[in-house]
mmCIF file of all heavy atoms in Angstrom:
data_model
loop_
_atom_site.group_PDB
_atom_site.id
_atom_site.type_symbol
_atom_site.label_atom_id
_atom_site.label_comp_id
_atom_site.label_asym_id
_atom_site.label_seq_id
_atom_site.Cartn_x
_atom_site.Cartn_y
_atom_site.Cartn_z
ATOM 1 N N VAL A 1 15.586 -8.167 -3.822
ATOM 2 C CA VAL A 1 16.794 -7.406 -3.548
ATOM 3 C C VAL A 1 17.215 -6.515 -4.673
ATOM 4 O O VAL A 1 16.996 -6.961 -5.794
ATOM 5 C CB VAL A 1 17.952 -8.326 -3.078
ATOM 6 C CG1 VAL A 1 17.637 -9.089 -1.758
ATOM 7 C CG2 VAL A 1 18.248 -9.377 -4.183
ATOM 8 N N ASP A 2 17.754 -5.379 -4.444
ATOM 9 C CA ASP A 2 18.209 -4.504 -5.448
ATOM 10 C C ASP A 2 19.638 -4.122 -5.100
ATOM 11 O O ASP A 2 19.826 -2.927 -4.641
ATOM 12 C CB ASP A 2 17.253 -3.231 -5.498
ATOM 13 C CG ASP A 2 17.429 -2.357 -6.719
ATOM 14 O OD1 ASP A 2 18.221 -2.728 -7.658
ATOM 15 O OD2 ASP A 2 16.930 -1.231 -6.741
ATOM 16 N N PRO A 3 20.567 -4.956 -5.300
ATOM 17 C CA PRO A 3 21.902 -4.735 -4.826
ATOM 18 C C PRO A 3 22.649 -3.593 -5.451
ATOM 19 O O PRO A 3 23.507 -2.886 -4.829
ATOM 20 C CB PRO A 3 22.651 -6.045 -5.006
ATOM 21 C CG PRO A 3 21.877 -6.753 -6.024
ATOM 22 C CD PRO A 3 20.455 -6.285 -5.915
ATOM 23 N N ASN A 4 22.392 -3.378 -6.668
ATOM 24 C CA ASN A 4 23.062 -2.293 -7.487
ATOM 25 C C ASN A 4 22.206 -1.096 -7.832
ATOM 26 O O ASN A 4 22.655 -0.188 -8.416
ATOM 27 C CB ASN A 4 23.685 -2.832 -8.762
ATOM 28 C CG ASN A 4 22.705 -3.409 -9.694
ATOM 29 O OD1 ASN A 4 21.572 -3.270 -9.526
ATOM 30 N ND2 ASN A 4 23.172 -4.034 -10.721
ATOM 31 N N GLY A 5 20.963 -1.157 -7.296
ATOM 32 C CA GLY A 5 20.104 -0.015 -7.542
ATOM 33 C C GLY A 5 19.309 -0.015 -8.888
ATOM 34 O O GLY A 5 18.698 1.032 -9.204
ATOM 35 N N SER A 6 19.450 -1.049 -9.661
ATOM 36 C CA SER A 6 18.840 -0.949 -11.025
ATOM 37 C C SER A 6 17.351 -0.962 -10.977
ATOM 38 O O SER A 6 16.702 -0.174 -11.859
ATOM 39 C CB SER A 6 19.359 -2.116 -11.863
ATOM 40 O OG SER A 6 19.033 -3.334 -11.319
ATOM 41 N N ILE A 7 16.758 -1.695 -10.103
ATOM 42 C CA ILE A 7 15.286 -1.625 -9.969
ATOM 43 C C ILE A 7 14.777 -0.252 -9.589
ATOM 44 O O ILE A 7 13.915 0.417 -10.148
ATOM 45 C CB ILE A 7 14.748 -2.618 -9.034
ATOM 46 C CG1 ILE A 7 15.001 -4.062 -9.473
ATOM 47 C CG2 ILE A 7 13.182 -2.514 -8.776
ATOM 48 C CD1 ILE A 7 14.689 -5.135 -8.422
ATOM 49 N N SER A 8 15.527 0.338 -8.634
ATOM 50 C CA SER A 8 15.206 1.733 -8.135
ATOM 51 C C SER A 8 15.350 2.761 -9.191
ATOM 52 O O SER A 8 14.477 3.646 -9.284
ATOM 53 C CB SER A 8 16.101 2.011 -6.937
ATOM 54 O OG SER A 8 15.945 0.954 -5.943
ATOM 55 N N VAL A 9 16.404 2.582 -9.978
ATOM 56 C CA VAL A 9 16.511 3.603 -11.112
ATOM 57 C C VAL A 9 15.424 3.579 -12.038
ATOM 58 O O VAL A 9 14.869 4.557 -12.492
ATOM 59 C CB VAL A 9 17.849 3.389 -11.839
ATOM 60 C CG1 VAL A 9 17.956 4.042 -13.206
ATOM 61 C CG2 VAL A 9 19.072 3.701 -10.908
ATOM 62 N N ASN A 10 14.905 2.360 -12.392
ATOM 63 C CA ASN A 10 13.718 2.210 -13.271
ATOM 64 C C ASN A 10 12.506 2.874 -12.747
ATOM 65 O O ASN A 10 11.618 3.272 -13.490
ATOM 66 C CB ASN A 10 13.558 0.760 -13.681
ATOM 67 C CG ASN A 10 14.669 0.239 -14.528
ATOM 68 O OD1 ASN A 10 15.360 1.042 -15.228
ATOM 69 N ND2 ASN A 10 14.872 -1.076 -14.534
ATOM 70 N N TRP A 11 12.445 2.877 -11.388
ATOM 71 C CA TRP A 11 11.162 3.460 -10.727
ATOM 72 C C TRP A 11 11.450 4.933 -10.486
ATOM 73 O O TRP A 11 10.539 5.616 -9.984
ATOM 74 C CB TRP A 11 10.925 2.671 -9.452
ATOM 75 C CG TRP A 11 10.173 1.402 -9.741
ATOM 76 C CD1 TRP A 11 10.757 0.207 -10.067
ATOM 77 C CD2 TRP A 11 8.838 1.210 -9.624
ATOM 78 N NE1 TRP A 11 9.827 -0.741 -10.143
ATOM 79 C CE2 TRP A 11 8.609 -0.214 -9.900
ATOM 80 C CE3 TRP A 11 7.705 1.963 -9.255
ATOM 81 C CZ2 TRP A 11 7.365 -0.737 -9.899
ATOM 82 C CZ3 TRP A 11 6.432 1.424 -9.184
ATOM 83 C CH2 TRP A 11 6.304 0.137 -9.629
ATOM 84 N N GLY A 12 12.554 5.480 -10.711
ATOM 85 C CA GLY A 12 12.881 6.932 -10.468
ATOM 86 C C GLY A 12 13.027 7.277 -8.960
ATOM 87 O O GLY A 12 12.725 8.354 -8.572
ATOM 88 N N VAL A 13 13.420 6.321 -8.141
ATOM 89 C CA VAL A 13 13.573 6.521 -6.729
ATOM 90 C C VAL A 13 14.720 7.393 -6.529
ATOM 91 O O VAL A 13 15.816 7.434 -7.020
ATOM 92 C CB VAL A 13 13.874 5.200 -6.067
ATOM 93 C CG1 VAL A 13 14.201 5.336 -4.532
ATOM 94 C CG2 VAL A 13 12.651 4.203 -6.108
ATOM 95 N N THR A 14 14.393 8.559 -5.656
ATOM 96 C CA THR A 14 15.320 9.513 -5.333
ATOM 97 C C THR A 14 15.866 9.482 -3.916
ATOM 98 O O THR A 14 16.806 10.213 -3.595
ATOM 99 C CB THR A 14 14.708 10.975 -5.614
ATOM 100 O OG1 THR A 14 13.580 11.062 -4.873
ATOM 101 C CG2 THR A 14 14.409 11.091 -7.121
ATOM 102 N N GLY A 15 15.210 8.725 -3.070
ATOM 103 C CA GLY A 15 15.664 8.534 -1.693
ATOM 104 C C GLY A 15 14.762 7.567 -0.995
ATOM 105 O O GLY A 15 13.669 7.136 -1.594
ATOM 106 N N LEU A 16 15.167 7.176 0.150
ATOM 107 C CA LEU A 16 14.352 6.152 0.868
ATOM 108 C C LEU A 16 13.689 6.716 2.063
ATOM 109 O O LEU A 16 14.224 7.676 2.687
ATOM 110 C CB LEU A 16 15.276 4.936 1.337
ATOM 111 C CG LEU A 16 15.863 4.204 0.243
ATOM 112 C CD1 LEU A 16 16.711 3.010 0.938
ATOM 113 C CD2 LEU A 16 14.981 3.649 -0.750
ATOM 114 N N PRO A 17 12.545 6.193 2.470
ATOM 115 C CA PRO A 17 11.710 5.267 1.686
ATOM 116 C C PRO A 17 10.954 5.952 0.599
ATOM 117 O O PRO A 17 10.698 7.239 0.724
ATOM 118 C CB PRO A 17 10.838 4.742 2.772
ATOM 119 C CG PRO A 17 10.620 5.783 3.797
ATOM 120 C CD PRO A 17 11.976 6.502 3.801
ATOM 121 N N GLU A 18 10.520 5.237 -0.287
ATOM 122 C CA GLU A 18 9.553 5.705 -1.364
ATOM 123 C C GLU A 18 8.582 4.672 -1.552
ATOM 124 O O GLU A 18 8.915 3.387 -1.595
ATOM 125 C CB GLU A 18 10.199 6.085 -2.677
ATOM 126 C CG GLU A 18 10.835 7.462 -2.615
ATOM 127 C CD GLU A 18 11.183 7.935 -4.110
ATOM 128 O OE1 GLU A 18 10.523 7.747 -4.989
ATOM 129 O OE2 GLU A 18 12.243 8.578 -4.224
ATOM 130 N N THR A 19 7.342 4.997 -1.701
ATOM 131 C CA THR A 19 6.287 3.954 -1.951
ATOM 132 C C THR A 19 5.371 4.430 -3.102
ATOM 133 O O THR A 19 5.067 5.565 -3.165
ATOM 134 C CB THR A 19 5.330 3.876 -0.638
ATOM 135 O OG1 THR A 19 6.228 3.561 0.439
ATOM 136 C CG2 THR A 19 4.306 2.838 -0.785
ATOM 137 N N PHE A 20 5.079 3.518 -3.943
ATOM 138 C CA PHE A 20 4.292 3.700 -5.185
ATOM 139 C C PHE A 20 3.029 2.919 -5.042
ATOM 140 O O PHE A 20 2.991 1.739 -4.511
ATOM 141 C CB PHE A 20 5.019 3.266 -6.376
ATOM 142 C CG PHE A 20 6.216 4.072 -6.709
ATOM 143 C CD1 PHE A 20 7.444 3.877 -6.104
ATOM 144 C CD2 PHE A 20 6.187 5.113 -7.623
ATOM 145 C CE1 PHE A 20 8.580 4.546 -6.412
ATOM 146 C CE2 PHE A 20 7.291 5.891 -7.878
ATOM 147 C CZ PHE A 20 8.522 5.631 -7.296
ATOM 148 N N ILE A 21 1.936 3.388 -5.485
ATOM 149 C CA ILE A 21 0.689 2.695 -5.636
ATOM 150 C C ILE A 21 0.448 2.352 -7.113
ATOM 151 O O ILE A 21 0.475 3.256 -7.967
ATOM 152 C CB ILE A 21 -0.511 3.523 -5.217
ATOM 153 C CG1 ILE A 21 -0.246 3.979 -3.690
ATOM 154 C CG2 ILE A 21 -1.770 2.860 -5.303
ATOM 155 C CD1 ILE A 21 -1.352 4.985 -3.132
ATOM 156 N N VAL A 22 0.251 1.046 -7.381
ATOM 157 C CA VAL A 22 -0.030 0.506 -8.707
ATOM 158 C C VAL A 22 -1.430 0.056 -8.685
ATOM 159 O O VAL A 22 -1.869 -0.796 -7.863
ATOM 160 C CB VAL A 22 0.994 -0.598 -9.063
ATOM 161 C CG1 VAL A 22 0.697 -1.165 -10.402
ATOM 162 C CG2 VAL A 22 2.449 -0.167 -8.980
ATOM 163 N N ASP A 23 -2.265 0.450 -9.581
ATOM 164 C CA ASP A 23 -3.626 0.155 -9.659
ATOM 165 C C ASP A 23 -3.852 -1.318 -10.109
ATOM 166 O O ASP A 23 -2.823 -2.047 -10.532
ATOM 167 C CB ASP A 23 -4.509 1.165 -10.429
ATOM 168 C CG ASP A 23 -4.281 1.044 -11.960
ATOM 169 O OD1 ASP A 23 -3.646 0.083 -12.489
ATOM 170 O OD2 ASP A 23 -4.853 1.962 -12.642
ATOM 171 N N GLY A 24 -5.016 -1.815 -10.087
ATOM 172 C CA GLY A 24 -5.329 -3.155 -10.489
ATOM 173 C C GLY A 24 -5.034 -3.530 -11.866
ATOM 174 O O GLY A 24 -5.006 -4.718 -12.197
ATOM 175 N N ASP A 25 -4.815 -2.492 -12.766
ATOM 176 C CA ASP A 25 -4.508 -2.789 -14.137
ATOM 177 C C ASP A 25 -2.960 -2.830 -14.396
ATOM 178 O O ASP A 25 -2.485 -3.028 -15.485
ATOM 179 C CB ASP A 25 -5.108 -1.818 -15.034
ATOM 180 C CG ASP A 25 -6.625 -1.850 -15.085
ATOM 181 O OD1 ASP A 25 -7.185 -2.980 -14.920
ATOM 182 O OD2 ASP A 25 -7.223 -0.786 -15.316
ATOM 183 N N GLY A 26 -2.227 -2.469 -13.272
ATOM 184 C CA GLY A 26 -0.755 -2.466 -13.447
ATOM 185 C C GLY A 26 -0.241 -1.125 -13.766
ATOM 186 O O GLY A 26 1.005 -0.953 -14.204
ATOM 187 N N THR A 27 -0.976 -0.031 -13.540
ATOM 188 C CA THR A 27 -0.513 1.311 -13.817
ATOM 189 C C THR A 27 -0.123 2.027 -12.597
ATOM 190 O O THR A 27 -0.856 2.026 -11.584
ATOM 191 C CB THR A 27 -1.682 2.135 -14.573
ATOM 192 O OG1 THR A 27 -2.042 1.437 -15.774
ATOM 193 C CG2 THR A 27 -1.245 3.518 -14.922
ATOM 194 N N VAL A 28 0.990 2.742 -12.668
ATOM 195 C CA VAL A 28 1.402 3.616 -11.476
ATOM 196 C C VAL A 28 0.456 4.751 -11.340
ATOM 197 O O VAL A 28 0.339 5.502 -12.313
ATOM 198 C CB VAL A 28 2.812 4.041 -11.608
ATOM 199 C CG1 VAL A 28 3.254 4.923 -10.447
ATOM 200 C CG2 VAL A 28 3.798 2.868 -11.682
ATOM 201 N N VAL A 29 -0.190 4.933 -10.164
ATOM 202 C CA VAL A 29 -1.132 5.996 -10.001
ATOM 203 C C VAL A 29 -0.620 6.996 -8.908
ATOM 204 O O VAL A 29 -1.230 8.122 -8.782
ATOM 205 C CB VAL A 29 -2.533 5.473 -9.646
ATOM 206 C CG1 VAL A 29 -3.082 4.719 -10.799
ATOM 207 C CG2 VAL A 29 -2.583 4.687 -8.412
ATOM 208 N N TYR A 30 0.316 6.742 -8.089
ATOM 209 C CA TYR A 30 0.734 7.665 -7.043
ATOM 210 C C TYR A 30 2.143 7.387 -6.540
ATOM 211 O O TYR A 30 2.496 6.080 -6.564
ATOM 212 C CB TYR A 30 -0.236 7.495 -5.822
ATOM 213 C CG TYR A 30 -0.075 8.429 -4.756
ATOM 214 C CD1 TYR A 30 -0.479 9.791 -4.826
ATOM 215 C CD2 TYR A 30 0.603 8.083 -3.562
ATOM 216 C CE1 TYR A 30 -0.295 10.684 -3.810
ATOM 217 C CE2 TYR A 30 0.800 8.971 -2.460
ATOM 218 C CZ TYR A 30 0.341 10.318 -2.611
ATOM 219 O OH TYR A 30 0.535 11.126 -1.590
ATOM 220 N N ARG A 31 2.878 8.312 -6.087
ATOM 221 C CA ARG A 31 4.168 8.202 -5.563
ATOM 222 C C ARG A 31 4.242 8.963 -4.271
ATOM 223 O O ARG A 31 3.865 10.146 -4.234
ATOM 224 C CB ARG A 31 5.194 8.728 -6.553
ATOM 225 C CG ARG A 31 6.623 8.814 -5.990
ATOM 226 C CD ARG A 31 7.518 9.635 -6.956
ATOM 227 N NE ARG A 31 8.878 9.442 -6.612
ATOM 228 C CZ ARG A 31 9.754 10.290 -7.068
ATOM 229 N NH1 ARG A 31 9.456 11.193 -8.076
ATOM 230 N NH2 ARG A 31 11.055 10.137 -6.852
ATOM 231 N N HIS A 32 4.733 8.326 -3.261
ATOM 232 C CA HIS A 32 4.931 8.945 -1.919
ATOM 233 C C HIS A 32 6.297 8.935 -1.600
ATOM 234 O O HIS A 32 6.944 7.892 -1.410
ATOM 235 C CB HIS A 32 4.130 8.234 -0.842
ATOM 236 C CG HIS A 32 4.125 9.053 0.466
ATOM 237 N ND1 HIS A 32 3.256 9.923 0.816
ATOM 238 C CD2 HIS A 32 5.036 8.825 1.527
ATOM 239 C CE1 HIS A 32 3.509 10.375 2.053
ATOM 240 N NE2 HIS A 32 4.548 9.818 2.436
ATOM 241 N N PHE A 33 6.951 10.093 -1.482
ATOM 242 C CA PHE A 33 8.327 10.273 -1.142
ATOM 243 C C PHE A 33 8.490 10.440 0.361
ATOM 244 O O PHE A 33 7.775 11.222 0.983
ATOM 245 C CB PHE A 33 9.018 11.475 -1.849
ATOM 246 C CG PHE A 33 10.411 11.716 -1.460
ATOM 247 C CD1 PHE A 33 11.358 10.915 -1.963
ATOM 248 C CD2 PHE A 33 10.728 12.728 -0.558
ATOM 249 C CE1 PHE A 33 12.712 11.118 -1.554
ATOM 250 C CE2 PHE A 33 12.030 12.927 -0.136
ATOM 251 C CZ PHE A 33 13.059 12.103 -0.673
ATOM 252 N N GLY A 34 9.322 9.730 1.014
ATOM 253 C CA GLY A 34 9.524 9.749 2.394
ATOM 254 C C GLY A 34 8.657 8.733 3.111
ATOM 255 O O GLY A 34 7.912 7.986 2.517
ATOM 256 N N PRO A 35 8.759 8.690 4.397
ATOM 257 C CA PRO A 35 7.950 7.760 5.184
ATOM 258 C C PRO A 35 6.473 8.052 5.177
ATOM 259 O O PRO A 35 6.115 9.191 5.198
ATOM 260 C CB PRO A 35 8.555 7.809 6.582
ATOM 261 C CG PRO A 35 9.098 9.258 6.724
ATOM 262 C CD PRO A 35 9.527 9.560 5.351
ATOM 263 N N VAL A 36 5.763 7.091 5.139
ATOM 264 C CA VAL A 36 4.246 7.200 5.227
ATOM 265 C C VAL A 36 4.095 7.210 6.734
ATOM 266 O O VAL A 36 4.181 6.103 7.463
ATOM 267 C CB VAL A 36 3.523 6.028 4.621
ATOM 268 C CG1 VAL A 36 1.932 6.281 4.899
ATOM 269 C CG2 VAL A 36 3.756 5.950 3.130
ATOM 270 N N LEU A 37 3.797 8.388 7.368
ATOM 271 C CA LEU A 37 3.770 8.549 8.720
ATOM 272 C C LEU A 37 2.311 8.195 9.326
ATOM 273 O O LEU A 37 1.331 8.183 8.424
ATOM 274 C CB LEU A 37 4.022 10.018 9.094
ATOM 275 C CG LEU A 37 5.400 10.526 8.780
ATOM 276 C CD1 LEU A 37 5.473 12.016 8.893
ATOM 277 C CD2 LEU A 37 6.499 9.791 9.447
ATOM 278 N N PRO A 38 2.284 7.865 10.555
ATOM 279 C CA PRO A 38 0.928 7.454 11.173
ATOM 280 C C PRO A 38 -0.150 8.565 10.874
ATOM 281 O O PRO A 38 -1.319 8.187 10.541
ATOM 282 C CB PRO A 38 1.251 7.262 12.625
ATOM 283 C CG PRO A 38 2.615 6.872 12.713
ATOM 284 C CD PRO A 38 3.315 7.633 11.573
ATOM 285 N N ALA A 39 0.230 9.762 10.936
ATOM 286 C CA ALA A 39 -0.783 10.865 10.686
ATOM 287 C C ALA A 39 -1.211 10.933 9.264
ATOM 288 O O ALA A 39 -2.263 11.426 8.935
ATOM 289 C CB ALA A 39 -0.181 12.171 11.130
ATOM 290 N N GLN A 40 -0.439 10.368 8.309
ATOM 291 C CA GLN A 40 -0.777 10.354 6.908
ATOM 292 C C GLN A 40 -1.463 9.068 6.508
ATOM 293 O O GLN A 40 -1.816 8.887 5.399
ATOM 294 C CB GLN A 40 0.555 10.506 6.093
ATOM 295 C CG GLN A 40 1.254 11.709 6.303
ATOM 296 C CD GLN A 40 2.628 11.782 5.707
ATOM 297 O OE1 GLN A 40 3.364 10.786 5.726
ATOM 298 N NE2 GLN A 40 3.085 12.913 5.092
ATOM 299 N N ARG A 41 -1.632 8.120 7.330
ATOM 300 C CA ARG A 41 -2.108 6.773 7.011
ATOM 301 C C ARG A 41 -3.513 6.833 6.340
ATOM 302 O O ARG A 41 -3.660 6.241 5.292
ATOM 303 C CB ARG A 41 -2.259 5.945 8.279
ATOM 304 C CG ARG A 41 -2.801 4.586 8.082
ATOM 305 C CD ARG A 41 -2.874 3.764 9.326
ATOM 306 N NE ARG A 41 -3.773 2.684 9.194
ATOM 307 C CZ ARG A 41 -4.010 1.823 10.078
ATOM 308 N NH1 ARG A 41 -3.417 1.871 11.282
ATOM 309 N NH2 ARG A 41 -4.818 0.811 9.865
ATOM 310 N N GLU A 42 -4.398 7.614 6.782
ATOM 311 C CA GLU A 42 -5.703 7.604 6.319
ATOM 312 C C GLU A 42 -5.750 8.226 4.916
ATOM 313 O O GLU A 42 -6.405 7.812 3.984
ATOM 314 C CB GLU A 42 -6.726 8.352 7.181
ATOM 315 C CG GLU A 42 -6.991 7.557 8.487
ATOM 316 C CD GLU A 42 -7.491 6.124 8.366
ATOM 317 O OE1 GLU A 42 -8.321 5.805 7.453
ATOM 318 O OE2 GLU A 42 -6.855 5.273 9.017
#
C-alpha cells in the first residue's frame, strides 16, 4: 500500500497505471506509462 504516495514519488510515477520492468540484477530497464493494452502485450 502507498497511502501517501511516497513509494510512487521515488519511482517517478506521473499517472496511473504505470509499470516498470526491473531486470534480474535489480536494475530498472523499462517504464510503461498508461495501461498495457492487449494489443501491446507481445
Side-chain angles (χ1 to χ4, degrees):
V1 294
D2 190 13
N4 61 7
S6 61
I7 297 172
S8 304
V9 166
N10 291 336
W11 282 81
V13 171
T14 58
L16 296 184
E18 277 193 41
T19 305
F20 294 82
I21 300 172
V22 179
D23 71 10
D25 295 327
T27 301
V28 177
V29 295
Y30 185 78
R31 172 191 191 192
H32 185 89
F33 176 77
V36 180
L37 300 171
Q40 299 168 319
R41 178 180 161 179
E42 294 307 314

